[in-house]
Amino acid sequence: MGILYDEKNRLFKLDTPHTSYCMGTRDGYLLHCYYGPRLRGTDAAYLARTDEPPYTPARSARDKLSFLDAAPFEYPTGGVGDFRTHCLEIRTTAGHNAVELSYRRHSIQKGKRPLPGLPATFGSAHDCTSLTVTLADDVLGLEVDLEYTVFEDLDALTRSAVIRNTGAKEPVIYLTKVLSACLDMDDRDFELLTLHGSWARERVIQRQRLAVGRQGVFSERGETSHQAQPFLALLTPGTTQTQGQVYAMHLVWSGNFEAQAEVDQHGQVRSVLGVSPYDFCWKLSAGESFQAPEAVLVYSHHGLGGMTRTLHDLYRGHLLRGEWKDKKRPVLLNSWEGAYFDFDTEKLLAMARSGAALGMEMFVLDDGWFGDRRDDNRALGDWYVNEEKLPGGLKRLADELNAMGMKFGLWMEPEMISPDSDLYRAHPDWALQVPGRPAGLCRNQYVLDLTRREVLEYVWDRIEAILTCANIEYVKWDMNRQLSDLGSTGLPGDRQGELSYRYVLAVYELQERFCTRFPNVLLENCSGGGARYDPGMLYYSPQIWCSDDTDAVERLAIQEGTALVYPLATMGAHVSACPNHAVGRTTPMDTRGHVALAGTFGYELDPRKLTEEERSQIPGQIALYHRFNALLRTGGYYRLASYRENHAFDCWQVVSRDRRTALVTYVQVLAAANRRSRRVLLQGLDPAASYRLEGTDRIFGGDTLLYGGLPLEPLWGDFRSRLLVLRMQED
Ligand code: DGJ
């Protein structure tokens, strides 16, 4: 494992347990040579085709442009003749955009450098190795550090880039596009897999045949968004959960991004990932550097399932931080769907009492507790407790909850400001806005200009004051609109193009302060449901609210797409009341519990309003959560069937690390007459072992379950589900 440089072949080889990533230098260019199954030797340089026409400019400068437009670059640049999509584009003060990089030096170190001001995967000298390759453009006096890390025990690698204006030539260089990663390969009839959606319909999987030209996903909404995920994967034809080659890229970032694949005239595909160039222009003065976010790359030789488990392991082991990442989270009762804005202390305590009696462990007070927040039209920014609703404040509420054995958690939306708020009346200039142009409202709110120090300090001051006024053990950090009217009263004209990037940096700064100041408080990020569910936010909060759609059936596709790239224990999922508030569907309480069990698990309802039958099922659901939490949090996740694809049923499985226990969740969405049992092929079991189906005396060979399948009997009625537990038999 690790990284080596073969001097003779001028080849860098980055090895993980089962993969190799190779790049080489030819005539100064850093070219991508290979990514895929692990190679024995260092002979991959020929794959860059530099010995074929059009030759490198050193051998034949006549067709330099043809070379630049076809060679597989590690970090392609604009303005000099590579007409495909680039990673780096600039503009000089004289108005020119040419930039061309050549190799200068490299270094290999144990461990991994943190990215200043940015979330990133981490590792120690024991579990990872990093490479920095420095490229330079001497005409501009510009240097680029390409940084790579490979992990000892994972088939993943990370990349990022630092751009430096050395000041040798240009006092200022404007960066107009800085992406984090590029992967140039031959197209093998790839399919492109991306995740798309909308509010209440996040991260639905889409697969399409790659076509000539550019395609992909992006966000220009100031956050990663409901609409797209900063992720793409190329799949060889026919890739399934268990078979096929998968090349995946995921960005550790929470703002505008682009993830694109471009098939060129020669049948080569260039995949790029990074911060979107839309409305991006970064002024880089002499001596300054710009740090691009980190991209994660995964190659799987065993289909999508292999990719998923690598990403889960990487994020669980090298991205999630803090006390809660490896701990069972309290079963929460959130007030939102149970009370919305209609509550006072007595009502909240009555809800909590009712929930506590059923086994719920933490009461979360959602929106509506501050200022004049009667509804969602006002008061964001006025982070002072509304004592009319909550006499005695949050302290009294928290104390009473604690006295009944419940923890207390609180909702906040720190990044926003309502026009109808004391804060806005005092500081109308604190909202993002373009002078002379009334800013657009969304949910009747504006976005605070967190890039201004005094605004950030105000927000931090309020967070700190609230969190220290009562025993608050959990915070849900919400963000309910996307960014428009990008103007900051605090930035000069030639830096307005930095605003959306700086906004994300400011959110990171606030959340980093939060994690440092309140290390024991469990933080859950949220953005109008799951609009900022990205690896960047996971660095600060070990869980993220997945979607405002809590309907158990709708959640199947949302959670399938989310779990494709994110560990189950990060996925905010609650049991809610029926008819469901998003779609009006009534599903059995059991099914609601089984679907929520795939995520963080909790309740979002008024327990007093449930039927006796529903209430009676809650202690059993909570017992299941306690029983299976360690397995679900640490085990390997296998997608067995997809309702999104088959329109009939959903099925997934979690297997313990030692392969002794497997939990299968089966949801039959639509019942059908005259059906025989379904045989679902299990995965991840030990073929040589035997497994007992819990609650029965049926014993199956692991091999029979893997290759013959587990029989799932038809269930009576729609929206029915079952949990099946398999335990390895002792010899
Ligand atoms: C959007 C969130 O996703 C909901 O769960 C809830 O917290 C509301 N905001 C409150 O305004």
Side-chain angles (χ1 to χ4, degrees):
M1 251 72 72
I3 299 176
L4 65 84
Y5 178 61
D6 178 335
E7 186 79 51
K8 188 168 140 264
N9 290 313
R10 283 168 294 152
L11 190 93
F12 296 95
K13 183 159 178 275
L14 290 69
D15 286 332
T16 71
H18 305 100
T19 73
S20 294
Y21 183 101
C22 302
M23 52 194 167
T25 55
R26 284 294 175 277
D27 299 337
Y29 296 108
L30 183 65
L31 302 177
H32 182 75
C33 302
Y34 172 83
Y35 188 28
R38 178 118 181 224
L39 301 179
R40 283 181 292 119
T42 50
D43 58 348
Y46 72 92
L47 294 167
R49 292 195 178 94
T50 51
D51 50 356
E52 298 171 19
Y55 297 108
T56 58
R59 190 159 155 197
S60 166
R62 196 193 105 86
D63 286 313
K64 178 175 178 185
L65 263 59
S66 306
F67 170 78
L68 292 181
D69 201 25
F73 288 105
E74 268 301 299
Y75 202 68
T77 57
V80 288
D82 180 347
F83 299 107
R84 297 163 292 176
T85 190
H86 317 117
C87 283
L88 181 64
E89 293 174 5
I90 61 109
R91 180 104 20 215
T92 61
T93 46
H96 303 128
N97 72 348
V99 52
E100 187 172 13
L101 298 172
S102 43
Y103 171 83
R104 283 293 171 278
R105 57 186 176 273
H106 74 268
S107 64
I108 297 173
Q109 313 90 21
K110 284 277 167 205
K112 186 172 192 294
R113 180 184 78 91
L115 269 49
L118 286 173
T121 58
F122 49 81
S124 70
H126 303 295
D127 57 25
C128 63
T129 311
S130 300
L131 162 73
T132 304
V133 184
T134 301
L135 311 175
D137 180 319
D138 291 339
V139 178
L140 295 171
L142 187 85
E143 286 192 342
V144 174
D145 289 341
L146 297 183
E147 299 188 308
Y148 301 79
T149 296
V150 290
F151 296 87
E152 283 292 309
D153 54 346
L154 282 165
D155 289 319
L157 63 92
T158 61
R159 286 187 62 169
S160 67
V162 178
I163 319 296
R164 229 176 358 262
N165 179 358
T166 63
K169 294 285 166 53
E170 297 281 341
V172 167
I173 298 171
Y174 291 95
L175 306 177
T176 53
K177 184 177 184 184
V178 183
L179 300 190
S180 300
C182 173
L183 186 59
D184 276 359
M185 295 186 290
D186 285 0
D187 182 12
R188 288 183 234 148
D189 290 332
F190 283 122
E191 274 184 71
L192 174 68
L193 186 152
T194 46
L195 299 167
H196 296 262
S198 181
W199 173 76
R201 207 168 56 243
E202 296 90 338
R203 288 171 296 286
V204 175
I205 296 168
Q206 177 179 291
R207 286 171 74 155
Q208 67 192 89
R209 180 77 201 276
L210 262 193
V212 173
R214 292 180 193 171
Q215 53 245 275
V217 277
F218 62 90
S219 166
E220 297 173 355
R221 297 164 183 270
E223 60 175 355
T224 38
S225 84
H226 301 97
Q227 288 75 9
Q229 175 67 202
F231 168 85
L232 68 72
L234 298 184
L235 323 177
T236 49
T239 289
T240 64
Q241 284 293 318
T242 52
Q243 289 170 6
Q245 295 174 258
V246 179
Y247 295 86
M249 295 169 118
H250 207 183
L251 192 66
V252 187
W253 175 244
S254 309
N256 293 340
F257 72 88
E258 74 170 34
Q260 275 199 349
E262 177 178 356
V263 178
D264 72 8
Q265 55 186 329
H266 302 297
Q268 306 178 113
V269 56
R270 167 170 289 173
S271 308
V272 293
L273 180 66
V275 171
S276 166
Y278 168 72
D279 193 32
F280 176 83
C281 182
W282 192 275
K283 181 179 178 185
L284 198 67
S285 299
E288 288 180 349
S289 48
F290 174 85
Q291 171 72 63
E294 177 170 280
V296 169
L297 273 65
V298 170
Y299 169 76
S300 161
H301 205 61
H302 302 286
L304 286 165
M307 173 206 76
T308 292
R309 288 182 292 282
T310 299
L311 285 171
H312 286 197
D313 287 344
L314 178 72
Y315 295 156
R316 291 193 286 210
H318 299 275
L319 184 66
L320 298 178
R321 299 180 298 167
E323 153 168 352
W324 284 99
K325 79 180 186 102
D326 295 322
K327 261 174 59 178
K328 187 165 63 158
R329 326 269 162 78
V331 176
L332 65 79
L333 169 60
N334 179 295
S335 68
W336 182 240
E337 287 194 25
Y340 294 107
F341 293 101
D342 177 22
F343 59 80
D344 58 18
T345 302
E346 294 320 315
K347 178 171 175 180
L348 298 176
L349 289 173
M351 284 170 71
R353 235 174 264 118
S354 168
L358 300 169
M360 299 177 199
E361 299 166 319
M362 178 163 74
F363 186 82
V364 175
L365 174 53
D366 209 282
D367 199 349
W369 55 268
F370 52 92
D372 183 24
R373 186 78 168 166
R374 283 169 270 149
D375 53 28
D376 62 4
N377 285 311
R378 65 203 85 245
L380 291 170
D382 297 345
W383 300 108
Y384 299 90
V385 180
N386 182 325
E387 294 256 355
E388 271 172 41
K389 279 184 177 177
L390 304 172
L394 296 175
K395 173 141 181 45
R396 182 187 148 215
L397 181 61
D399 289 350
E400 298 222 16
L401 288 165
N402 291 168
M404 69 173 85
M406 272 201 141
K407 295 178 189 295
F408 175 51
L410 192 67
W411 176 97
M412 289 188 86
E413 193 177 356
E415 301 162 56
M416 297 291 148
I417 180 167
S418 307
D420 182 4
S421 66
D422 292 341
L423 186 65
Y424 188 78
R425 283 181 279 277
H427 301 286
D429 57 316
W430 282 15
L432 291 179
Q433 58 197 280
V434 176
R437 184 182 293 280
L441 286 161
C442 183
R443 211 191 190 203
N444 229 344
Q445 61 199 58
Y446 299 130
V447 182
L448 277 172
D449 181 1
L450 295 177
T451 67
R452 280 177 61 172
R453 268 295 116 181
E454 62 274 43
V455 180
L456 184 137
E457 292 304 340
Y458 168 84
V459 170
W460 175 247
D461 183 64
R462 293 320 307 150
I463 292 174
E464 207 177 22
I466 295 294
L467 283 225
T468 46
C469 81
N471 186 20
I472 297 171
E473 298 184 70
Y474 159 106
V475 165
K476 177 176 172 188
W477 182 307
D478 204 349
M479 193 259 196
N480 279 299
R481 64 157 288 176
Q482 302 180 328
L483 273 54
S484 68
D485 302 282
L486 279 158
S488 168
T489 45
L491 288 174
D494 62 352
R495 288 199 182 273
Q496 293 289 337
E498 301 176 11
L499 182 51
S500 54
Y501 192 90
R502 286 187 183 276
Y503 179 85
V504 180
L505 292 185
V507 173
Y508 289 155
E509 182 177 341
L510 282 171
Q511 296 216 348
E512 186 63 38
R513 282 193 198 184
F514 186 104
C515 295
T516 310
R517 174 76 174 82
F518 303 106
N520 306 320
V521 175
L522 171 58
L523 182 62
E524 174 160 348
N525 268 294
C526 169
S527 179
R532 212 162 49 181
Y533 204 135
D534 54 61
M537 299 319 280
L538 271 192
Y539 184 69
Y540 305 98
S541 67
Q543 57 192 60
I544 299 179
W545 183 229
C546 191
S547 177
D548 277 345
D549 189 340
T550 55
D551 172 67
V553 174
E554 295 266 292
R555 272 287 178 129
L556 297 176
I558 296 170
Q559 295 186 181
E560 180 194 358
T562 307
L564 182 77
V565 290
Y566 294 110
L568 299 186
T570 67
M571 226 164 46
H574 298 164
V575 173
S576 61
C578 280
N580 178 268
H581 295 193
V583 293
R585 183 180 288 119
T586 296
T587 48
M589 189 68 175
D590 254 3
T591 306
R592 284 178 260 163
H594 293 162
V595 173
L597 202 59
T600 54
F601 193 77
Y603 292 82
E604 176 131 357
L605 40 72
D606 183 342
R608 300 169 309 161
K609 294 191 179 150
L610 296 176
T611 64
E612 262 323 301
E613 199 199 331
E614 286 174 321
R615 284 174 58 82
S616 70
Q617 293 179 60
I618 289 179
Q621 288 182 332
I622 292 178
L624 283 176
Y625 169 76
H626 290 306
R627 185 164 163 227
F628 291 118
N629 181 260
L631 170 66
L632 290 159
R633 198 159 27 78
T634 61
Y637 164 82
Y638 298 83
R639 168 60 49 178
L640 305 183
S642 160
Y643 167 60
R644 182 184 51 80
E645 285 171 2
N646 63 34
H647 308 296
F649 74 106
D650 220 47
C651 195
W652 63 91
Q653 178 194 6
V654 179
V655 181
S656 61
R657 296 259 147 209
D658 59 9
R659 300 198 286 177
R660 303 185 72 82
T661 310
L663 176 68
V664 176
T665 308
Y666 170 56
V667 182
Q668 173 189 280
V669 180
L670 294 180
N674 191 22
R675 275 256 180 238
R676 310 192 74 190
S677 67
R678 293 193 160 99
R679 288 188 189 152
V680 174
L681 302 189
L682 299 194
Q683 296 175 39
L685 301 179
D686 179 354
S690 298
Y691 291 84
R692 177 189 293 275
L693 179 61
E694 204 176 82
T696 73
D697 52 10
R698 298 182 74 176
I699 297 185
F700 300 90
D703 50 356
T704 320
L705 291 169
L706 292 169
Y707 316 129
L710 176 70
L712 299 171
E713 307 299 333
L715 305 172
W716 182 250
D718 292 338
F719 319 134
R720 300 281 152 178
S721 65
R722 278 186 73 194
L723 289 185
L724 299 109
V725 183
L726 290 149
R727 291 212 183 271
M728 195 187 279
Q729 289 292 104
E730 302 302 335
D731 289 334

